[in-house]
Amino acid sequence: MIRFTDARYSPAWVAVLSGLLIWMTLAGPETATAADKPFYEGKTIRVIVPFSPGGGTDNYARFAARHWVKYIPGNPKILVQNMPGGGGALTFGYLYSKASRDGLTLGVASEGIPVRRLLRRPGHTYKFTEMSLIASAPSSTTHFAGKSLGIKELSDLKKTSGKIVAGDTQKGSTVAIVSGLIFQLLGLEYRQVYGYSSYGEARLALLKGEVNMTGGDAFNYALVVKPLEEKGDVTILFQSGLLDSQGKVTRHPAMPHLRTVKEGFVELFGKEPSGTVWEAIKGIIAVNTLGKSVWAPPGVPEARVRVLEDGFRKMVADPAFQADAVKVMGGKNDAVIGKDAQAALKQFFGLPEEVVKLYR
Amino acid sequence: MKGGISQGLNLCMAGLFVCAILSAMQWPVHSRAFVMAIAFPGLLLTVVLFVRQRWRRGTDAATSPGLGDTPLDADVPPAVARRRMVNVFAWIFALFALVRLVGFEIAVPVFTFVYLRFQAREGLLVSGAAAVVMVALIVGVFNWILHVLWPKGMLQGWLGL
Amino acid sequence: MLESLLTALGVIFAPYHLLLLLLGVLLGILLGAVPGLGGIVGLTVVLPFVFELSPSEAMVLLVGLVAVVTSSDSIPAVLFAVPGTAAAQATIMDGHPMAKKGEAGRAFGAIYSASMMGGVFGAVALLLAVPIMRPLVLSVGSPELFMLGLLGISMVGVLSGRAPLQGLIAGMAGVLASMVGMDPQTGILRWTFGALYLWEGLPLVPAVMGVFGIPEIVEMVIRRKSIADVPRQAIKGVLTGIGDTFRHWFLVLRCSVLGTWIGLIPGLGSDVVDWFAYGHTVQSSRPREGFGKGDVRGVIGPESAANAKLGGSLIPTIAFGIPGSLQMIILLGAFMILGLRPGPEMLTDNLDVTFTIVWSLVLANVFGTLILLPLTGQLAKLALVRIQILAPVIISILFLASFLTTRDYGDLVVLIGFGLFAWVMKLAGWPRPPLVLGLVLGPIIGKYLFISTHAYNGFGWLARPGVILLFLAMAASVAFGLVREKRGETAPETRAVEGIGGTP
């Protein structure tokens, strides 16, 4: 079929072949650099986002990456890339077993990825304990009602049992899990409508009156959701909150004026929440505390992990970064660095089966 | 011949619908309902089509020489057309294998060159120029501007590059 | 209001702004013309530079970039049946046959002028929609979106020509294929066969490239001729094409309205616009014999709609902060970085910013067409190059473009798999467009049907006025088609659409 008979081994042909060889060598990896320079000088760090561009995790990664490199000695370049698939399984499987262990390939996890790991969804077989957690930016879910539900104050919530129709993206998303659990905790009857392609679309459905409850996160609270409340379109009920180092539920720094679910429960019932449903909510709060987390593959040299951690720590301490965070992300951007963040994760993966069951 | 292909394709579609229905059986009702709503009518239609094509061949529009552009019986003799068809798909699969083997950056220029030189019997100049254009496209547009990191081929993996 | 309009005009005509707009337009043209790239890639590439520019400068650059992508993406669509972006799918239907007839020049002339008029119309619509944005966007709920999806599916008839049964079957197969991936309703995985890659569903771009691009290149290689199957002198001119657009000005207007309207509804997605426009064009045109064989109206309709869409989709983005497409999500992100807050303030306090966007849209579309038109003659000559020289280049580009979708080898498997399947369909005389239509509309129908029944707890939503209106529209269009069929008017026309690339 393919005829090689007229291939003449002329000098030109040899030249082409050798050119090809040169091209192959050039396409190969770079050689190592001298040892006395900072490791990251002249290098490019690749940060992999496990979702398509445009989502919350992607936004955060692109925003933070831009600032982060300025605080890493040697001023490397940084490249944010997307590797969607398997709800994060593709990226974290890659990081866990395939990615180079030189500290130049990192990944960002959303809140949902540890949940899917906990539930052992297909493909989620990587081990967080063997990977290095560099830093994490705590997030928190928010929950708000539309006009049609007629909630003026929190106490009105009790009257809405049976009328609640919550709009969500898909079964198993962090917001969907936690809002379902909250309704259960408060003893409210509710219906969840899945299928909106984003919480932005669910919010639009809320404005149309198609659903009367939906959620969001700390990153769009000040910029998008708060203005809606000011116009009277929505009533913001609560945030899930964060866990502090003592394991107590606190408010997210970007939403200091919004009550947590726990505070809401106390306000409504006059006592502290307890029981498995509350434990399950606390589990999600632990994951939220981890928030958007930056991971390095297993086996990256300690020293390089420290350099990256240091850079992140310096970044969040810089007022210039925080000013930009307020402008772009709508609020201050805290971060928990390294091992400290691992604690929340350990608690999450230690949850008893009767609690885990509630996430399914 | 076209009628035969059409019947074969129809059978294939019917098989597809049956597989869809069977696999959806175990799903929860919300997932199952939409599959059934599509696959059952689809299966029914394949049966109708089968009957029409089998017994009303002369009157059915699709089996009349409608698609005059079908190259196999147009201006190329069928035997030649079939050979060329197998040939071009072989090239497509070859490119796929080559990409897996050595990665895009090498596979695409090599494929372009080899195709032009040995399949199209173009001169070295044309073949080389086209390969260079592909290199320029990959390096210039994809690598430099867009920072695409192409995956390495399996060969580079074996060689430990 | 008039004052803001003029202020914005002053802003945009500052030399530096004009230069940036031009830069954006050039970049957009390049990204549109290379398959696999497009507005989204372009935005992520220029995003880092946005921080170095002032808000108005950045805005002009970004809008210029996204505005023209949908003009130049028809270049590979017409020449090689490979869509430059997802917005050029329907352009293939008549654009590629035109190139085969040696009318690539005419097609480009019509496409660029229609794109420009559509784009300008979209900008004007954005301007006029300013006071009524809110009710306009909020009036379309999930039930209406479901009905729109059905309306789209009813076009299978138009797209199947003489083989309506085969078209329906192919369309249903397309809908089933679109269900691959995780079901948001229950979280179960549908037909992923253990591949993580398939969790997010089959990617559209490699599938469309497989369905249209592969069979065309295979056919051309078998025929061993150039794309244009005619002598050199038969290449018809660009001016004829521009004339065509002006002759069909009413079609341009109708499709622009359609494009703007679909653009402003978040949720329908940007991939359906040109199919809606194509369906409308075929349904509303007399005579219809030539469609699918290279009728110039078949490119004018989709192209004017594709460019008009941008103005429409900017409406919910800036008025509500709710982007209707991935491109708008990224554009919104960029706007936020620039310190722009979407919301009603865009129509009061920040009106001059909105008008800057409007003017940028208008100028970008004009610039885009002015740059592209002189190139057409050269581009059209590509249709005369021996196919054996183009073949490896086209096949390579199909591979590269598909792979860029998710950067997974799965993209190549989808390309080749759909390519083989589509080739068999072509051999068997089955229409391929319904397969793509099913793939595009399947998720929309499934999603909004479920949302409607769950949110309204039953089928009460069927009584919504919008639903009834859309149902009547669909019934009328189907009934009209049937009546005509009975009278025997449609008999000869339909064959045309059986397969793109129908050389008589």
Side-chain angles (χ1 to χ4, degrees):
Chain A
M1 190 168 21
I2 306 161
R3 294 175 42 182
F4 287 97
T5 41
D6 52 354
R8 283 155 305 203
Y9 293 89
S10 61
W13 183 213
V14 174
V16 168
L17 256 183
S18 41
L20 204 68
L21 269 174
I22 295 168
W23 164 241
M24 280 171 93
T25 7
L26 285 179
E30 293 161 39
T31 42
T33 43
D36 51 335
K37 281 192 293 179
F39 170 74
Y40 283 103
E41 190 171 320
K43 299 273 179 24
T44 300
I45 302 176
R46 194 154 66 107
V47 176
I48 307 177
V49 173
F51 307 101
S52 305
T57 309
D58 183 68
N59 270 349
Y60 175 75
R62 285 177 195 275
F63 166 74
R66 203 175 76 239
H67 286 277
W68 190 15
V69 277
K70 287 185 252 166
Y71 305 89
I72 299 172
N75 282 326
K77 282 204 195 91
I78 200 158
L79 221 57
V80 178
Q81 294 193 318
N82 304 80
M83 193 192 278
L90 203 58
T91 298
F92 276 82
Y94 172 80
L95 278 180
Y96 181 66
S97 54
K98 284 197 202 137
S100 63
R101 273 96 170 90
D102 51 7
L104 292 177
T105 307
L106 309 171
V108 183
S110 68
E111 303 85 330
I113 292 176
V115 178
R116 286 187 276 275
R117 175 70 188 85
L118 178 75
L119 297 178
R120 297 180 194 281
R121 296 285 286 160
H124 289 263
T125 50
Y126 46 85
K127 294 197 180 75
F128 277 126
T129 43
E130 289 173 28
M131 297 165 71
S132 308
L133 177 54
I134 290 163
S136 75
S139 169
S140 170
T141 56
T142 58
H143 305 270
F144 43 94
K147 236 194 277 187
S148 58
L149 208 53
I151 297 181
K152 294 273 179 301
E153 301 164 17
L154 192 63
S155 56
D156 295 338
L157 197 57
K158 283 179 169 173
K159 289 180 277 182
T160 59
S161 188
K163 281 187 263 174
I164 296 173
V165 182
D168 283 296
T169 51
Q170 59 179 21
K171 194 173 160 62
S173 81
T174 324
V175 179
I177 290 178
V178 76
S179 56
L181 289 170
I182 289 172
F183 298 138
Q184 287 175 37
L185 182 75
L186 301 176
L188 299 171
E189 260 184 65
Y190 65 99
R191 215 142 41 80
Q192 275 178 304
V193 176
Y194 301 114
Y196 293 104
S197 42
S198 66
Y199 277 95
E201 202 191 352
R203 209 162 52 236
L204 186 66
L206 189 80
L207 295 181
K208 290 176 193 164
E210 201 167 285
V211 296
N212 50 34
M213 190 83 92
T214 188
D217 63 24
F219 297 116
N220 66 19
Y221 172 74
L223 296 181
V224 188
V225 182
K226 193 81 182 130
L228 288 178
E229 186 180 52
E230 279 153 18
K231 271 181 289 163
D233 283 331
V234 305
T235 313
I236 306 176
L237 297 172
F238 21 62
Q239 57 170 313
S240 63
L242 303 175
L243 291 182
D244 65 8
S245 48
Q246 275 87 49
K248 286 211 321 238
V249 181
T250 57
R251 294 178 180 185
H252 190 281
M255 305 182 285
H257 306 298
L258 181 62
R259 69 174 82 84
T260 64
V261 172
K262 191 181 177 185
E263 291 168 273
F265 187 88
V266 173
E267 212 173 301
L268 283 171
F269 297 96
K271 58 172 184 185
E272 298 265 309
S274 58
T276 38
V277 173
W278 172 241
E279 289 307 315
I281 293 177
K282 259 177 46 182
I284 297 290
I285 295 177
V287 177
N288 277 339
T289 307
L290 200 66
K292 314 288 183 204
S293 47
V294 185
W295 294 84
V300 172
E302 262 314 282
R304 290 179 200 168
V305 174
R306 292 286 158 274
V307 167
L308 293 173
E309 285 178 6
D310 263 356
F312 218 95
R313 188 176 294 123
K314 283 186 192 133
M315 173 179 83
V316 282
D318 190 339
F321 166 76
Q322 292 299 351
D324 203 31
V326 170
K327 195 176 138 208
V328 178
M329 307 294 288
K332 284 202 167 182
N333 230 277
D334 228 348
V336 187
I337 309 295
K339 292 244 156 41
D340 297 342
Q342 207 93 326
L345 201 64
K346 210 165 264 169
Q347 185 191 342
F348 182 66
F349 282 110
L351 286 175
E353 183 54 31
E354 75 256 31
V355 172
V356 173
K357 182 169 86 198
L358 292 173
Y359 297 146
R360 286 181 212 273
Chain B
M1 186 184 108
K2 189 191 296 162
I5 298 177
S6 182
Q7 284 293 45
L9 185 61
N10 193 26
L11 210 67
C12 175
M13 288 286 196
L16 208 77
F17 290 129
V18 170
C19 285
I21 292 168
L22 287 180
S23 57
M25 293 282 216
Q26 308 133 22
W27 295 352
V29 62
H30 288 317
S31 296
R32 194 174 56 214
F34 193 43
V35 176
M36 299 300 175
I38 300 294
F40 266 117
L43 191 61
L44 200 72
L45 285 174
T46 56
V47 175
V48 174
L49 182 65
F50 176 78
V51 171
R52 276 186 61 167
Q53 287 192 335
R54 182 73 181 73
W55 283 283
R56 292 176 50 195
R57 184 159 249 197
T59 52
D60 195 85
T63 47
S64 66
L67 211 69
D69 62 337
T70 306
L72 296 182
D73 39 30
D75 35 40
V76 187
V80 177
R82 210 165 302 135
R83 208 183 61 228
R84 285 178 181 172
M85 179 182 85
V86 171
N87 185 298
V88 65
F89 274 111
W91 277 105
I92 290 173
F93 282 112
L95 178 58
F96 180 69
L98 203 59
V99 164
R100 287 306 309 260
L101 198 65
V102 295
F104 275 96
E105 289 159 299
I106 297 165
V108 166
V110 168
F111 169 80
T112 310
F113 181 83
V114 174
Y115 186 100
L116 286 176
R117 187 72 190 88
F118 302 114
Q119 174 72 43
R121 316 269 192 91
E122 294 295 335
L124 266 181
L125 195 69
V126 171
S127 316
V132 168
V133 167
M134 294 317 287
V135 171
L137 181 75
I138 291 177
V139 174
V141 178
F142 293 116
N143 291 14
W144 287 352
I145 304 180
L146 303 176
H147 306 294
V148 175
L149 288 170
W150 304 101
K152 287 186 188 120
M154 294 193 287
L155 191 67
Q156 283 98 324
W158 294 330
L159 296 177
L161 283 171
Chain C
M1 186 158 167
L2 194 67
E3 196 189 335
S4 311
L5 196 65
L6 293 175
T7 318
L9 195 62
V11 167
I12 194 139
F13 270 107
Y16 190 51
H17 282 111
L18 271 185
L19 202 70
L20 279 169
L21 183 72
L22 206 61
L23 186 71
V25 167
L26 285 173
L27 204 56
I29 286 176
L30 178 74
L31 292 168
V34 180
L37 308 182
I40 294 161
V41 173
L43 286 174
T44 45
V45 168
V46 300
L47 217 49
F49 303 103
V50 161
F51 302 101
E52 321 290 327
L53 300 170
S54 79
S56 59
E57 291 163 358
M59 192 101 56
V60 165
L61 176 70
L62 293 170
V63 174
L65 191 151
V66 292
V68 293
V69 166
T70 44
S71 305
S72 62
D73 63 0
S74 44
I75 293 171
V78 167
L79 290 174
F80 315 126
V82 176
T85 71
Q89 298 167 51
T91 309
I92 299 174
M93 294 287 294
D94 279 290
H96 188 57
M98 281 181 84
K100 284 185 161 182
K101 287 200 296 190
E103 294 185 341
R106 182 177 171 196
F108 286 132
I111 285 168
Y112 299 146
S113 46
S115 291
M116 184 179 87
M117 284 161 74
V120 171
F121 183 88
V124 173
L126 176 61
L127 194 69
L128 295 178
V130 164
I132 50 161
M133 273 186 191
R134 198 183 155 96
L136 214 55
V137 174
L138 291 187
S139 62
V140 182
S142 296
E144 284 80 14
L145 288 166
F146 166 70
M147 291 307 292
L148 276 169
L150 274 193
L151 189 67
I153 282 285
S154 75
M155 285 172 350
V156 164
V158 173
L159 294 172
S160 313
R162 253 194 180 181
L165 257 181
Q166 286 91 327
L168 270 173
I169 294 170
M172 283 169 161
V175 173
L176 281 182
S178 78
M179 283 186 223
V180 170
M182 190 193 279
D183 181 1
Q185 302 297 329
T186 55
I188 68 150
L189 298 168
R190 293 177 295 201
W191 305 314
T192 53
F193 309 107
L196 296 176
Y197 168 78
L198 290 174
W199 277 37
E200 335 278 305
L202 285 171
L204 187 67
V205 169
V208 172
M209 289 194 174
V211 171
F212 291 132
I214 296 258
E216 294 312 307
I217 184 68
V218 169
E219 187 204 332
M220 288 190 285
V221 168
I222 290 174
R223 295 162 72 91
R224 292 279 156 89
K225 285 184 180 151
S226 54
I227 296 166
D229 207 1
V230 285
R232 201 165 276 256
Q233 53 268 37
I235 296 278
K236 280 206 191 153
V238 180
L239 287 176
T240 324
I242 300 176
D244 287 327
T245 303
F246 282 97
R247 241 169 348 104
H248 299 292
W249 64 271
F250 190 49
L251 178 68
V252 174
L253 188 69
R254 290 197 316 264
C255 286
S256 302
V257 174
L258 191 73
T260 314
W261 190 56
I262 291 176
L264 78 79
I265 308 169
L268 222 44
S270 48
D271 310 323
V272 304
V273 171
D274 56 337
W275 285 117
F276 270 87
Y278 187 75
H280 170 74
T281 307
V282 177
Q283 269 175 342
S284 65
S285 298
R286 313 276 175 282
R288 304 199 270 183
E289 286 76 20
F291 282 106
K293 285 181 187 166
D295 190 313
V296 73
R297 291 171 300 183
V299 299
I300 291 174
E303 281 300 317
S304 43
N307 278 45
K309 190 206 74 206
L310 185 63
S313 56
L314 277 166
I315 294 172
T317 308
I318 63 177
F320 294 98
I322 290 169
S325 62
L326 193 54
Q327 181 168 299
M328 284 298 129
I329 290 174
I330 297 171
L331 198 62
L332 180 68
F335 283 176
M336 304 271 256
I337 291 168
L338 298 173
L340 195 143
R341 292 291 162 261
E345 298 75 36
M346 291 297 294
L347 317 175
T348 50
D349 302 350
N350 294 333
L351 197 59
D352 47 337
V353 179
T354 308
F355 284 139
T356 309
I357 296 175
V358 172
W359 283 120
S360 308
L361 262 183
V362 172
L363 275 186
N365 273 291
V366 174
F367 280 174
T369 298
L370 290 182
I371 293 169
L372 281 166
L373 275 178
L375 296 175
T376 8
Q378 302 306 314
L379 284 172
K381 279 187 193 149
L382 268 179
L384 298 171
V385 176
R386 256 169 306 162
I387 194 62
Q388 283 291 66
I389 296 182
L390 286 179
V393 176
I394 296 174
I395 293 173
S396 299
I397 286 180
L398 281 172
F399 269 63
L400 290 168
S402 297
F403 186 77
L404 285 175
T405 316
T406 57
R407 296 181 191 179
D408 191 295
Y409 287 118
D411 292 334
L412 299 183
V413 178
V414 171
L415 169 80
I416 297 173
F418 271 85
L420 269 173
F421 195 73
W423 172 250
V424 177
M425 286 176 79
K426 190 177 163 82
L427 284 185
W430 284 42
R432 286 171 286 152
L435 182 70
V436 173
L437 199 69
L439 212 53
V440 170
L441 289 174
I444 293 174
I445 296 174
K447 171 181 161 184
Y448 290 114
L449 178 61
F450 275 109
I451 291 182
S452 300
T453 46
H454 287 194
Y456 295 86
N457 206 10
F459 286 88
W461 52 268
L462 284 173
R464 281 169 65 105
V467 173
I468 294 172
L469 207 70
L470 282 165
F471 180 79
L472 288 177
M474 189 172 71
S477 116
V478 171
F480 191 57
L482 286 178
V483 169
R484 286 170 50 85
E485 185 131 30
K486 249 204 169 131
R487 285 204 211 129
E489 283 177 44
T490 43
E493 138 250 339
T494 42
R495 212 183 87 195
V497 205
E498 267 174 32
I500 54 158
T503 28

